Amino acid sequence: MKNAREKALQILYEIEYNGAYSNMALKKALNGEKDISDLDKAFITRIVYGVVSYKLNLEYIIENNSKIKLKKISKYIMLILKIGIYQLKYMGKVPRSAAVNESVKLAKRYGHAASAGFVNGVLRSVIKNKVVYPEDKIERLSKELSYPLQLCTKWCNDFGYEFTKDLLEAMNREAETTLRVNRLKTNPCELVKTNNKLLLSDIYEYAVISSGTDIVSDDIYKKGFVYPQDISAMAVSVVLNPGSGEKVLDLCSAPGGKATHIAELMNNRGTVIACDIHEHKMKLIENNAKRLGIGIIQTKQYDACQYNKEFDSAFDKVLVDVPCTGYGIIRKKPDIKWKNELIENITGISQEILTNAGKYVKIGGEMVFSTCTINKEENEHRIFEFIKNNKNFELTDFYELLPEKLRHDTARKGYVTFYPNIDNTDGFFIAKAKRCR
């Protein structure tokens, strides 16, 4: 195989200059590759996620150690510098000599004659010089922890400086790979006994933590024993609390993680209607259901922003996992930091979907609203707006339904936010409302 650093360079080029998502680019490059060792896969993954996550920080360091302006540095050489600096600054087990020498070799291959000398000079300057960050606290957060200044400012205003600093540091740390155990086929204890790459989760009884790097190629995945999912996302279906024999609607379902979990909680008895706006995503839901041995999921292509009369008052439970900025899952998809999503556009869509969803709940039925973000405009503001405009609904206590370590007091009022720095999960929001009349 190519040198691991060269493989990382090629993946990063796809992400930075061809618009690929980091998780998808890694999956395409590494999954199923027999000639790449698990050690190399872990090394490549660490570099790719690290360079994407620390983009702003690495550019700031280059800017302070290069005589050439950033915009005049060629694309490959810029990425090679970032890979080298990331190893020097954030991968303590990599010898400095290796970080520099391997970067110089890449520069010879991907640049012109002077590129190797330039890369060597910048990296040696980085080793010698201490990074001097801006004096302004929020600007320093932005440059040092590598988040857009606008986002740092917003979260400092919303959560306070110390909480935001703690949050950003947690979001920069590598997330554990958590797997939901399919209770229709096995149980966590049996699974852990037969697989030395798995550990029981101390947060949710049906979750395990994996040290493997290529889950989808593993037999436990192929045989439908597990589904890769964060514990915060598992909590959504747990809070929905579907019963065997009920009729459940999942409005924004693909790729089917929550729909399949709902079906498992229902013991594969009843009906789950799983919807998505994109036709090609129906197959994703169907394939996951088949792999997990689930037979009660029916897929339907449907734009949740449009009212559907056939769904009117037809469901015991409705899940509304709406489109959002996704800031809660930065640990797993660091490129989300750099997507300039307009919150106003997203909240308008989510409010439309939520309004329609309320019409589909039976009297006495319940609805769960969730997002994988932490912005109040996308979360509390949306559910409070819904309750204000729909007097036949009220927020309902779900404190006791949550795993013990995720029980926050606000759950008694009908909503909760999970944060990576507090809960060791992705950032997630869950609210639950009951239709009273």
Side-chain angles (χ1 to χ4, degrees):
M1 67 159 285
K2 288 184 172 67
N3 175 283
R5 290 174 177 85
E6 185 172 4
K7 191 75 172 175
L9 173 64
Q10 292 172 345
I11 295 168
L12 283 163
Y13 191 93
E14 287 299 307
I15 295 165
E16 183 73 18
Y17 300 112
N18 291 333
Y21 286 98
S22 54
N23 61 322
M24 298 307 293
L26 274 163
K27 184 178 178 180
K28 183 179 177 183
L30 300 183
N31 280 0
E33 285 282 353
K34 298 274 194 284
D35 61 338
I36 306 178
S37 69
D38 282 351
L39 202 61
D40 276 339
K41 284 181 181 179
F43 183 77
I44 291 165
T45 301
R46 173 83 188 275
I47 286 179
V48 169
Y49 278 142
V51 169
V52 172
S53 184
Y54 279 87
K55 169 186 165 76
L56 193 61
N57 172 262
L58 297 172
E59 288 173 0
Y60 180 77
I61 293 172
I62 293 168
E63 194 174 28
N64 282 272
N65 288 278
S66 169
K67 293 177 182 176
I68 301 174
K69 292 189 179 295
L70 294 186
K71 62 184 179 183
K72 291 191 175 181
I73 301 173
S74 72
K75 293 175 179 177
Y76 274 114
I77 298 304
M78 176 63 86
L79 288 174
I80 290 166
L81 283 172
K82 288 179 180 179
I83 290 170
I85 295 169
Y86 182 74
Q87 291 170 83
L88 290 172
K89 292 291 182 184
Y90 301 107
M91 295 180 73
K93 291 183 180 178
V94 176
R96 288 180 168 185
S97 57
V100 174
N101 294 339
E102 293 300 321
S103 297
V104 169
K105 286 179 189 176
L106 283 175
K108 286 177 182 175
R109 206 169 302 151
Y110 286 84
H112 52 69
S115 299
F118 171 67
V119 167
N120 185 60
V122 171
L123 294 183
R124 294 198 180 280
S125 175
V126 169
I127 291 170
K128 187 172 68 174
N129 299 326
K130 184 180 178 182
V131 185
V132 179
Y133 289 106
E135 288 186 12
D136 180 82
K137 285 200 311 182
I138 299 178
E139 195 177 343
R140 177 169 182 144
L141 274 188
S142 173
K143 298 295 188 188
E144 188 172 9
L145 297 180
S146 197
Y147 284 78
L149 180 60
Q150 185 180 2
L151 193 57
C152 292
T153 303
K154 172 181 167 39
W155 284 349
C156 281
N157 289 335
D158 287 351
F159 307 123
Y161 173 81
E162 290 301 332
F163 185 93
T164 300
K165 183 174 183 290
D166 195 32
L167 174 67
L168 300 187
E169 287 172 347
M171 284 182 162
N172 280 350
R173 289 194 283 271
E174 189 176 356
E176 293 175 332
T177 299
T178 51
L179 310 174
R180 188 184 80 234
V181 177
N182 181 2
R183 64 186 71 208
L184 300 177
K185 291 191 173 187
T186 187
N187 66 69
C189 291
E190 286 301 314
L191 211 54
V192 168
K193 276 182 194 174
T194 56
N195 194 314
N196 61 11
K197 289 183 179 178
L198 302 179
L199 290 172
L200 294 172
S201 164
D202 65 349
I203 301 177
Y204 177 48
E205 61 179 337
Y206 271 89
V208 292
I209 299 159
S210 171
S211 59
T213 56
D214 190 4
I215 297 302
V216 296
S217 297
D218 199 299
D219 273 353
I220 62 166
Y221 176 86
K222 291 176 181 177
K223 291 178 179 178
F225 293 146
V226 296
Y227 186 97
Q229 191 177 41
D230 192 77
I231 290 173
S232 58
M234 298 181 206
V236 174
S237 303
V238 170
V239 168
L240 186 66
N241 196 28
S244 292
E246 288 189 329
K247 189 174 182 182
V248 180
L249 175 65
D250 181 1
L251 269 179
C252 307
S253 186
K258 296 179 185 70
T260 52
H261 191 194
I262 289 165
E264 290 168 23
L265 292 169
M266 294 166 68
N267 296 312
N268 206 24
R269 290 177 50 222
T271 303
V272 178
I273 308 294
C275 303
D276 199 87
I277 191 171
H278 302 291
E279 185 179 4
H280 69 278
K281 290 188 175 179
M282 297 294 101
K283 202 69 184 169
L284 286 175
I285 302 169
E286 290 161 7
N287 287 344
N288 275 317
K290 184 178 179 181
R291 181 177 57 80
L292 295 163
I294 292 165
I296 65 169
I297 293 177
Q298 300 172 21
T299 58
K300 182 178 179 65
Q301 185 187 1
Y302 161 60
D303 180 358
C305 287
Q306 305 300 316
Y307 169 67
N308 187 336
K309 189 176 181 180
E310 71 172 280
F311 287 170
D312 197 275
S313 299
F315 296 92
D316 300 291
K317 304 279 168 65
V318 174
L319 172 58
V320 200
D321 188 55
V322 297
C324 67
T325 52
Y327 288 135
I329 56 173
I330 283 173
R331 298 185 307 167
K332 295 180 180 124
K333 298 180 180 179
D335 30 356
I336 286 171
K337 292 182 187 185
W338 316 117
K339 309 289 182 190
N340 294 315
E341 297 277 13
L342 289 174
I343 289 180
E344 296 79 11
N345 293 348
I346 293 172
T347 54
I349 291 168
S350 65
Q351 200 72 49
E352 281 183 51
I353 294 172
L354 190 51
T355 299
N356 287 332
K359 297 170 184 173
Y360 307 148
V361 183
K362 290 178 179 177
I363 295 173
E366 295 173 325
M367 175 176 72
V368 164
F369 168 69
S370 64
T371 75
C372 57
T373 193
I374 58 173
N375 286 334
K376 293 180 185 296
E377 297 93 329
E378 299 178 75
N379 296 338
E380 288 95 331
H381 294 187
R382 299 283 62 78
I383 193 65
F384 294 163
E385 180 77 10
F386 173 83
I387 295 295
K388 186 178 83 173
N389 295 330
N390 294 270
K391 304 299 184 186
N392 57 335
F393 276 86
E394 61 182 27
L395 289 170
T396 184
D397 178 358
F398 57 84
Y399 182 87
E400 296 293 338
L401 290 174
L402 288 168
E404 193 171 344
K405 288 192 174 181
L406 297 181
R407 289 177 182 172
H408 296 284
D409 286 343
T410 59
R412 298 186 191 280
K413 300 176 184 177
Y415 62 93
V416 71
T417 305
F418 302 132
Y419 299 96
N421 54 321
I422 294 175
D423 302 295
N424 192 27
T425 67
D426 286 341
F428 237 87
F429 178 79
I430 305 173
K432 186 173 188 178
K434 182 174 183 175
R435 183 178 173 187
C436 308
R437 56 184 183 277

